[in-house]
């Protein structure tokens, strides 16, 4: 089959026609990942290789494959492809993306980078297999590398790998919003601008804290800090693990919040997640954290609440993503529709507290980031760069 004039679709339209191309979608997601990266706290950015942006752009390169493309009847009809011509071909594009990236990395020590590229549907897809059209996939890969930079050339520890998996997944969810990223032939500068606008639309931004607030300004109902609170503000000045102990009613919550403010003010963190053991305690602390956030932020910020019944207490309408309809499914693989639903759920339900700058919720919502739950690495990504208080 001559591929020189073939259009490779990434998403289909609501009426089942070919929508945005693989190339355009990959460029859009790369630009979103780039914009997300720029909003990370400086000390977090320094831990990450720049090549992770390119990995995000490459996430769907496996869609350039006959097994995937044949899922769209309009594509088969346009290029006069008979079903038997694509029978037996790999239909899981994540596996093919993994294979192509692994071949381009060319080093078994870097194999994990290829694996996390393929994890954006929630879990690792398993062992990859060779697939035809590799030359066409590499052609697009080289274009993406030229735009976003070289691939990582060093192995990484698990925390960075899973953070990257979360970045890729969130960038894909946002870049799949058909209202923000329609099927248009934009230049790269326009794509970058659209990416920044998309993040602003869902409230993803750097926090602008007020400077040099005193304890009494943080908590106007309290006259001055006690010895515990003063010590917390003086000692907790950089990222780390700290334990605050004291008798009941001695102001441990205010001590933790005051220390969180100092870290956010210094640029060491870009948000807060306050985790508690039960829904009831979460609800009560939420009522205390919102006034605190109002005090420390130059712009209005809402503290999101996350637990199984938090939707009962939410007052603001949920932000919605509108991923394009996809027909990339068959009897063996229904991951794409599940992926689109997952994106809507994360941004359109109480789960978004883990991605929002400020959140209060139950401890289990954070702990799910370190067990083999679906999209566990999105939780890790959402909490990275934040002050996490466990009470």
């Amino acid at each position: 089959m001559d591929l020189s004039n073939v259009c490779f679709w990434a998403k289909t339209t609501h009426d089942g026609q070919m929508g945005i191309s693989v190339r355009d979608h990959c460029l859009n997601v790369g630009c979103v990942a780039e914009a997300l990266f720029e909003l990370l706290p400086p000390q977090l950015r320094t831990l990450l290789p720049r090549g992770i942006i390119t990995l995000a752009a490459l996430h769907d390169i496996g869609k350039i494959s006959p097994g995937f493309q044949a899922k769209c009847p309009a594509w088969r009809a346009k290029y006069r492809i008979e079903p038997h011509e694509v029978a037996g071909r790999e239909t899981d594009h994540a596996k093919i993306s993994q294979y192509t990236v692994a071949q381009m990395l060319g080093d078994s020590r870097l194999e994990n980078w290829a694996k996390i590229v393929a994890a954006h549907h929630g879990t690792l897809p398993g062992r990859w297999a060779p697939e035809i059209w590799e030359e066409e996939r590499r052609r697009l890969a080289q274009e993406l590398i030229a735009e976003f930079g070289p691939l990582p050339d060093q192995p990484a520890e698990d925390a960075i790998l899973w953070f990257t998996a979360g970045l890729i997944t969130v960038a894909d969810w946002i870049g799949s919003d058909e209202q923000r990223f329609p099927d248009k032939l934009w230049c790269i500068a326009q794509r970058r601008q659209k990416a920044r606008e998309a993040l602003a639309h869902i409230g993803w931004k750097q926090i602008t804290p007020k400077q040099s607030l005193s304890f009494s300004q943080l908590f106007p109902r309290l006259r001055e800090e006690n010895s515990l609170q003063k010590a917390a503000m003086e000692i907790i000045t950089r990222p780390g693990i700290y334990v605050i102990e004291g008798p009941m009613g001695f102001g441990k919550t205010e001590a933790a919040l005051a220390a969180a403010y100092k870290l956010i003010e210094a640029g060491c963190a870009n948000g807060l997640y306050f985790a508690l053991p039960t829904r009831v305690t979460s609800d009560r602390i939420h009522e205390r954290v919102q006034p605190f956030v109002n005090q420390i932020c130059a712009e209005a910020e809402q503290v999101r609440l996350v637990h199984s019944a938090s939707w009962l207490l939410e007052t603001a309408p949920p932000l919605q993503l509108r991923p394009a309809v996809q027909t990339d499914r068959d009897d063996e693989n229904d991951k794409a529709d599940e992926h689109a639903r997952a994106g809507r759920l994360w941004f359109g339900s109480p789960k978004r507290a883990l991605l929002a700058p400020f959140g209060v919720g139950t401890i289990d919502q954070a702990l799910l980031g370190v067990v083999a739950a679906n999209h566990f690495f999105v939780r890790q990504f959402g909490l990275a760069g934040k002050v996490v208080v466990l009470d």
Side-chain angles (χ1 to χ4, degrees):
M1 180 179 180
D2 182 10
L3 302 178
S4 58
N5 295 313
V6 174
C7 175
F8 301 105
W9 62 274
K11 313 284 182 182
T12 55
T13 62
H14 292 280
D15 58 359
Q17 299 300 307
M18 293 181 291
I20 191 169
S21 71
V22 175
R23 174 186 179 273
D24 289 335
H25 176 60
C26 286
L27 284 169
N28 290 341
V29 171
C31 288
V32 173
E34 198 174 55
L36 287 170
F37 182 90
E38 293 301 325
L39 291 177
L40 296 174
Q43 79 280 359
L44 184 54
R45 290 202 303 267
T46 59
L47 298 175
L48 305 170
R50 190 67 181 188
I52 66 173
I53 307 302
T54 306
L55 292 174
L58 289 168
H59 76 292
D60 266 354
I61 200 168
K63 289 184 175 180
I64 301 179
S65 57
F68 178 87
Q69 293 295 308
K71 295 177 183 180
C72 177
W75 182 88
R76 293 200 308 267
K78 179 176 181 178
Y79 297 109
R80 300 178 181 177
I81 304 296
E82 296 296 330
H84 71 271
E85 296 182 66
V86 294
R89 294 294 179 187
E90 178 62 69
T91 58
D92 188 344
H93 69 275
K95 289 183 180 179
I96 303 171
S97 296
Q98 183 176 348
Y99 171 78
T100 296
V101 173
Q103 293 300 303
M104 298 190 70
L105 289 168
D107 187 336
S108 61
R109 298 176 305 157
L110 306 178
E111 186 176 293
N112 285 337
W113 286 119
K115 290 181 180 179
I116 59 96
V117 168
H120 61 280
H121 286 288
T123 57
L124 294 175
R127 191 70 182 177
W128 60 82
E131 183 56 77
I132 64 172
W133 298 4
E134 181 69 8
E135 182 178 348
E136 196 65 24
R137 288 191 292 274
R138 288 201 175 219
R139 182 199 61 75
L140 175 57
Q142 292 300 337
E143 180 181 352
L144 297 173
I145 288 171
E147 186 59 53
F148 297 111
L151 292 169
D153 58 2
Q154 297 294 326
E157 59 185 33
D158 286 350
I160 291 177
L161 288 169
W162 291 126
F163 176 89
T164 304
L167 172 70
I168 292 172
T169 302
V170 173
D172 185 30
W173 286 341
I174 297 171
S176 295
D177 186 343
E178 61 183 353
Q179 300 298 315
R180 294 283 166 181
F181 298 96
D183 185 11
K184 290 187 178 181
L185 298 178
W186 288 326
C187 68
I188 194 65
Q190 290 173 308
R191 295 180 196 275
R192 288 189 165 108
Q193 178 60 31
K194 291 295 181 180
R196 291 190 290 269
E197 292 174 359
L199 295 186
H201 173 70
I202 61 175
W204 203 303
K205 59 184 179 180
Q206 287 183 325
I207 302 304
T208 306
K210 298 176 184 176
Q211 297 295 307
S212 304
L213 295 179
S214 65
F215 186 87
S216 61
Q217 289 174 313
L218 294 176
F219 308 101
R221 297 178 63 181
L222 302 177
R223 292 183 178 180
E224 60 183 14
E225 69 269 33
N226 60 30
S227 57
L228 173 68
Q229 295 157 348
K230 183 178 180 180
M233 294 183 71
E234 292 177 349
I235 294 172
I236 304 175
T237 59
R238 61 180 183 176
I241 299 176
Y242 301 91
V243 178
I244 298 177
E245 291 184 298
M248 183 178 295
F250 203 61
K252 296 185 295 296
T253 296
E254 286 77 12
L257 291 175
Y261 162 71
K262 299 297 288 186
L263 293 171
I264 293 171
E265 179 196 24
C268 296
N270 195 36
L272 167 71
Y273 182 68
F274 205 116
L276 298 112
T278 67
R279 295 184 307 183
V280 173
T281 53
S282 298
D283 294 342
R284 290 175 178 172
I285 289 295
H286 180 261
E287 295 174 355
R288 297 168 64 181
V289 173
Q290 183 64 68
F292 164 77
V293 170
N294 293 342
Q295 289 295 115
I296 71 170
C297 291
E299 301 176 2
E301 298 286 349
Q302 185 173 12
V303 178
R304 310 308 306 190
L305 184 64
V306 54
H307 57 60
S308 59
S310 58
W311 60 274
L312 292 169
L313 300 174
E314 291 284 6
T315 56
L319 294 170
Q320 296 288 342
L321 289 181
R322 299 169 292 273
V325 173
Q326 303 184 61
T327 59
D328 52 333
R329 62 182 186 270
D330 53 26
D331 293 339
E332 298 178 353
N333 187 357
D334 195 23
K335 293 181 180 178
D337 281 356
E338 181 183 346
H339 181 55
R341 289 193 297 271
R344 289 193 292 270
L345 285 172
W346 271 93
F347 284 94
S349 81
K351 287 183 179 180
R352 66 192 178 279
L354 294 176
L355 297 175
F358 296 98
V360 172
T362 48
I363 292 174
D364 65 294
Q365 295 297 325
L367 294 180
L368 283 171
V370 293
V371 298
N374 207 33
H375 288 114
F376 71 91
F377 42 81
V378 175
R379 296 175 187 271
Q380 290 190 26
F381 173 76
L383 293 175
K386 291 186 173 71
V387 177
V388 179
V389 179
L390 305 178
D391 187 350

